Amino acid sequence: MPERTIFEKIIDKEIPSEAVFEDDSVYAFRDINPQAPVHVLVVPKTRFTGFADLKSADAQVIGTFMQRVARVAEQLGLEKEGYRIVFNHGRHGQQSVDYIHAHILGGRQLGWPPG
Ligand code: 5GP
């Protein structure tokens, strides 16, 4: 078993976080170092180390995860003006926690391309 990451400890409430949404499949909470007025992380309760793990993941689990990400974005009031979903993967992607997480970023005009 890989070592537990900070996100497993957050899901298990061993480390406090500001919850936005939770059900049986996902936990959504505010990023501790927000990069936009709204910056929320959504993690599935099933661990995947990173985006590449989705290649062999159960399609229903992936679909539920994506559906929850969209629902959380709606709940945050971001649908009208828009938002960005980011999955950082690996070193070049600057992934810093080895537990898959969707960043929901919004609440301001975002730039493109990303740095
Ligand atoms: P990554 O760089 O891996 O895509 O994103 C990891 C994110 O987790 C970063 O945006 C970072 O600010 C956030 N993060 C790291 N540790 C904590 C924590 O203890 N609590 C919360 N709420 N966010 C964290």
Side-chain angles (χ1 to χ4, degrees):
M1 278 290 278
E3 208 173 297
R4 284 170 82 233
T5 68
I6 195 158
F7 288 169
E8 277 135 311
K9 293 173 190 171
I10 285 174
I11 291 168
D12 291 342
K13 312 293 190 290
E14 289 166 32
I15 292 177
S17 62
E18 194 184 333
V20 167
F21 175 85
E22 180 165 21
D23 68 5
D24 289 348
S25 58
V26 304
Y27 182 53
F29 56 100
R30 301 219 180 249
D31 196 293
I32 204 166
N33 182 23
Q35 302 301 312
V38 179
H39 187 172
V40 165
L41 302 173
V42 187
V43 295
K45 290 190 173 174
T46 304
R47 178 176 179 174
F48 301 101
T49 303
F51 202 79
D53 282 8
L54 297 186
K55 294 192 301 275
S56 53
D58 182 89
Q60 193 167 344
V61 171
I62 299 171
T64 301
F65 178 37
M66 293 302 166
Q67 191 179 65
R68 296 302 187 272
V69 172
R71 278 195 203 166
V72 172
E74 179 191 41
Q75 182 191 311
L76 291 164
L78 297 174
E79 267 193 5
K80 183 163 177 283
E81 298 297 338
Y83 55 88
R84 184 169 296 161
I85 304 300
V86 173
F87 287 92
N88 292 325
H89 183 76
R91 187 168 61 87
H92 278 184
Q94 293 209 318
Q95 181 181 3
S96 62
V97 179
D98 286 339
Y99 190 117
I100 196 170
H101 48 283
H103 295 255
I104 302 177
L105 294 149
R108 68 168 166 83
Q109 180 61 59
L110 299 167
W112 193 263

